[in-house]
Amino acid sequence: MARTVGHAEGTRTPDGSKTRAYQGHRDPGNGVWNLGSFSFQHCREYNCSTPEEADVHQLKRLREQADKLRQRTAALGLSMTLLEELNGIDLANQAPLAALGYPGYPEWLKKAHDMGLKGEAAVLWARVKSYWDPNLNGWNAPGLGNSEARIEHDQNRRLTAIARALGVYEQQVAAGKIPHARKNQKVALKPQEEQVSDNLFFQDSAPGRG
């Protein structure tokens, strides 16, 4: 998770190393101070002062959001690929309402599949449409100017970053540079796709790890 979402946020390089932005940076959209891999903005509320502490708080939130995404897509009869799930979680990190509002990322992803879209094309379409607010009958992305063109450009950039980081991760696993699963991790009863997701999501974000 830290590798993929962090790379989309600009706080991590594709191989998981931390960038200068990891230590803290000003959000270009709302001016709030961001901290850690996930550009966490709520340290005053959670009393955190280091990027490592910020990561701990946001990982807890993202784990809960990941579970909600899985439940919603499962209820729709859809089994997400790893790339689809990573993008759903990245969207939840960027804009929780877009990911988990209604309709949200699960519903738009299902519609994308029903339309015959696959792979990155389905993910991009679903990510962009998740910013459509039926109550406003318009786009709800003020940080992106409520512009469809800007939303699509931003979502495509993040999708590309996630795919890049995921590719590097898989290369490192294949080369034996990092373990495929954490030792003693109890995931035997989970579907294989969820095992892979959890290994990737949570193994590289413990405090003090690069």
Side-chain angles (χ1 to χ4, degrees):
M1 174 69 78
R3 291 165 173 262
T4 52
V5 176
H7 188 41
E9 287 286 343
T11 59
R12 296 270 188 150
T13 63
D15 67 0
S17 300
K18 297 164 184 173
T19 69
R20 184 178 299 178
Y22 173 85
Q23 300 297 332
H25 64 280
R26 191 73 61 185
D27 189 284
N30 58 19
V32 176
W33 188 249
N34 292 337
L35 199 61
S37 298
F38 311 103
S39 299
F40 190 63
Q41 298 188 348
H42 308 287
C43 273
R44 285 190 177 182
E45 177 184 352
Y46 287 90
N47 194 30
C48 55
S49 59
T50 68
E52 290 82 7
E53 290 173 346
D55 281 359
V56 169
H57 288 295
Q58 185 62 357
L59 274 171
K60 182 178 183 296
R61 292 172 55 158
L62 291 176
R63 185 185 288 276
E64 294 170 353
Q65 290 167 334
D67 287 341
K68 290 178 181 178
L69 286 169
R70 288 173 176 172
Q71 292 167 8
R72 290 261 292 270
T73 52
L76 293 168
L78 182 65
S79 177
M80 288 185 289
T81 66
L82 181 55
L83 182 65
E84 289 171 343
E85 186 167 3
L86 284 168
N87 274 274
I89 301 229
D90 176 63
L91 182 60
N93 184 72
Q94 182 186 22
L97 185 60
L100 293 166
Y102 192 86
Y105 181 75
E107 289 74 29
W108 291 117
L109 185 62
K110 175 63 164 58
K111 188 169 183 178
H113 282 247
D114 291 343
M115 293 167 54
L117 296 176
K118 297 179 180 179
E120 293 186 6
V123 171
L124 178 59
W125 190 87
R127 288 192 65 139
V128 172
K129 292 295 290 185
S130 294
Y131 282 94
W132 181 262
D133 189 334
N135 294 319
L136 298 176
N137 194 32
W139 299 105
N140 189 0
L144 296 170
N146 291 326
S147 162
E148 182 176 4
R150 288 182 60 185
I151 294 170
E152 183 170 356
H153 176 80
D154 180 68
Q155 298 306 294
N156 187 56
R157 178 191 62 78
R158 298 183 74 99
L159 166 60
T160 300
I162 289 170
R164 184 186 303 118
L166 179 57
V168 172
Y169 172 84
E170 291 174 338
Q171 291 171 7
Q172 291 178 329
V173 170
K177 294 181 179 180
I178 52 178
H180 181 65
R182 292 172 64 178
K183 292 181 180 180
N184 303 320
Q185 188 174 16
K186 297 180 180 179
V187 295
L189 298 180
K190 289 188 175 183
Q192 183 177 6
E193 187 76 15
E194 289 192 18
Q195 292 182 33
V196 175
S197 298
D198 283 349
N199 293 339
L200 176 59
F201 288 177
F202 305 113
Q203 74 172 344
D204 193 38
S205 298
R209 292 190 63 180

